[in-house]
Every structure is written in C-alpha cells, then in structure tokens.
Amino acid sequence: MPNNPVQCQFVAALDSIVGKWKPLILYHLLQGKPLRFNELRRLLPDITQRMLTLHLRELEEEELVRRVIYPQVPPKVEYSITEYGMSLSPVLETLHRWGAAHVERKRLIQEQKEQADTD
Amino acid sequence: MPNNPVQCQFVAALDSIVGKWKPLILYHLLQGKPLRFNELRRLLPDITQRMLTLHLRELEEEELVRRVIYPQVPPKVEYSITEYGMSLSPVLETLHRWGAAHVERKRLIQEQKEQADTD
DNA sequence: CGTTGCAGTACCTTTTTTCATACTATACCA
DNA sequence: TGGTATAGTATGAAAAAAGGTACTGCAACG
C-alpha cells in the first residue's frame, strides 16, 4: 500500500473493484438475489470458470461477498452481497452511469464522423 | 468493446479511470489549476516519466485532459482538465470517499486483531 | 449406458501492464 | 565550463493479469 494518503484511497477502492470482471459480478449480486456459481457464469458468458472462481475468492476475502456451501450432492454454492458489499453500491452506480454517458458520447462522435465522410 | 451492454458501460468507465496512476492524475487536475509535466511528476513521486507520458496521452486521446504546448525553450507543456473531464468528478469523488472508508475499516480490523493477540 | 449439470482445481501459455535505465536538445545559473 | 531544469523517447526486462484446456466425483435424466 502506498503511503501517499490520497493515492492510498484510490488504490484501496480500485483494488476492490478492478479485475476485468469484478464490477460485473458485484453489479449482479447487488441486485439482491443470491446466485449460484453457474448462474453467475451464465450472466457473464465470456468469463472462464477459473477467472470467476478467482474473482469470487478475492471478493470473499474482502468481505464484499458471502459464500455459502450447501452440503449436498451435486454441490450447491450460493454467493450473495454482504452488508459491507452494499456500501459499494453508490460507487458502482456512479461508475455505471458515467460509463453509459461515455458510450453514448462515443457513439455520437462516431456518427458525426460518418456523416462528414459521406459529404 | 464487449457487446453485453451492462459490461460495456463498466468497461468504458473503467478504461478511462484505470491504469495505476490515472485516477491520481485526474484528481490533481480536477483541482482546477493547469499543471506542467514536471509539476505532475512531483505530485506523483513514484511514477516514472514513461508512465506519466503514456497515461497523459491516453487521457488526452479521450478528451479528458488538454495538452497545451508553449513553443519556447526550454519546453513548457501544460496539462489541464477538459470540460468533459470534469464530468468524471462525481465518479472520482465517490470512489475516493469509499476508498477512505475502506482504509479506515481495514485499520480498525487490524487494530482489533492486535488487541486479540495481546490477550 | 451415455450425457448433462454441479462447483470447482491443476497446469501451462499468452497478453497486458508496469518498471528501469539511458538518452535527446537547449537554456539558464554560478 | 559544468550542473540543472525542461519534456520527453527508446529499449529491454519484469511482473501482473487473464486465458485455455483438461480433469474430478457424483447424481439425475433419457
């Protein structure tokens, strides 16, 4: 951890969120309903099992996500957001909203460029 | 860019913010004052010249940061936040705030652990 | 009796990101 | 005349993140 306090705070926040898939995992779990491993996998069609496992373990370690194993066969494991994890909700939401606007802006610029090309 | 719209929005947002140093660069520029290359370097003591250059170029490409060259010798180049860059302010702020709370929480947990150890 | 679903692990490769060091040209200062 | 400051670039190495494939054991389904 860096000792620069400002940097420190960004790093702490980003460490929890970043990883190619973490925001998405959290987003889905923040919908409230606990999800099984393969349910998450279906929601994130392009993730590999390995990556999903790794990210979930990291989120669990930070107590953002809870993992409950039902001792039955075939296995059942449920993941859900913790109370602490919910505190990330505003961050994710702000990020999500800005992302949407950013995408829209890029689309508009692209459109303008194409318009100029046909002239 | 992924075609999953939800993922798309996170990726778009995170791409702009992430990179070990980008949030910090944006944070400093969001203070309002234009900063010269070496001023930024002093504010981010551990960054290498190369990384600072690369990140600034990326931010410039996304029109989040403006780069103005004064044709004089020795060179003078000033970086400042663009109007569009300012739209990132709420994102950075939310992130920063959560980061601070996260750091504090970790500190508390660490303290409790140490307390338990001395018992 | 073969297939599918469950929740992973093991092992190895590739890609991406970051780091370290050396180098440029010019002007100002002592 | 040597050192410092300016804003970088070039090159190669290292570290971190992500991906790919194969494999497990058991049960239910057809």
Side-chain angles (χ1 to χ4, degrees), chain A residues 1-117:
Chain A
M1 187 101 68
N3 45 14
N4 176 329
V6 171
Q7 179 166 5
C8 202
Q9 282 151 29
F10 280 119
V11 170
L14 287 169
D15 273 2
S16 306
I17 291 178
V18 170
K20 193 166 172 183
W21 305 96
K22 278 192 204 167
L24 230 31
I25 294 171
L26 289 166
Y27 174 85
H28 286 300
L29 292 177
L30 274 167
Q31 305 302 308
K33 220 184 83 189
L35 294 169
R36 299 179 63 169
F37 186 82
N38 276 1
E39 285 180 309
L40 273 167
R41 205 142 81 94
R42 278 188 286 273
L43 290 169
L44 282 53
D46 292 337
I47 198 171
T48 61
Q49 274 180 306
R50 172 182 165 69
M51 278 301 118
L52 182 53
T53 305
L54 287 179
H55 280 136
L56 283 170
R57 291 295 137 83
E58 283 178 32
L59 292 170
E60 195 193 349
E61 192 141 343
E62 293 188 274
E63 297 180 64
L64 294 165
V65 160
R66 186 180 304 111
R67 177 165 177 258
V68 178
I69 306 168
Y70 295 85
Q72 61 187 51
V73 103
K76 174 176 173 182
V77 179
E78 266 189 359
Y79 295 89
S80 54
I81 198 85
T82 62
E83 194 134 336
Y84 183 49
M86 288 191 216
S87 72
L88 260 176
S89 170
V91 180
L92 273 290
E93 211 173 299
T94 318
L95 202 60
H96 195 245
R97 212 195 316 281
W98 191 85
H102 193 51
V103 168
E104 178 61 12
R105 183 173 182 271
K106 276 189 177 163
R107 207 184 55 71
L108 275 174
I109 289 172
Q110 185 57 32
E111 220 173 78
Q112 279 176 20
K113 210 182 296 174
E114 278 164 17
Q115 189 60 25
D117 284 355

Side-chain angles (χ1 to χ4, degrees), chain B residues 26-118:
Chain B
L26 289 166
Y27 173 85
H28 286 300
L29 292 177
L30 274 167
Q31 304 303 306
K33 221 184 81 188
L35 295 170
R36 298 179 62 171
F37 186 82
N38 276 1
E39 285 180 307
L40 272 168
R41 205 142 80 95
R42 278 187 286 273
L43 289 169
L44 282 51
D46 293 337
I47 198 172
T48 61
Q49 274 181 307
R50 175 180 165 69
M51 276 302 116
L52 183 52
T53 305
L54 287 180
H55 280 137
L56 283 170
R57 291 295 137 82
E58 283 178 31
L59 292 169
E60 195 193 351
E61 192 140 343
E62 294 189 273
E63 297 180 63
L64 294 166
V65 160
R66 187 180 303 110
R67 177 164 177 259
V68 179
I69 305 167
Y70 296 85
Q72 61 186 52
V73 104
K76 174 175 172 181
V77 179
E78 266 189 358
Y79 294 90
S80 54
I81 198 85
T82 62
E83 194 132 336
Y84 183 51
M86 288 191 217
S87 73
L88 260 177
S89 170
V91 180
L92 272 291
E93 211 174 298
T94 317
L95 202 60
H96 195 245
R97 212 195 315 281
W98 191 85
H102 192 52
V103 168
E104 178 61 11
R105 183 173 183 269
K106 276 189 178 162
R107 208 185 54 70
L108 276 173
I109 288 173
Q110 186 58 31
E111 221 174 76
Q112 281 174 18
K113 211 184 294 177
E114 278 164 17
Q115 189 61 26
D117 285 353
T118 54

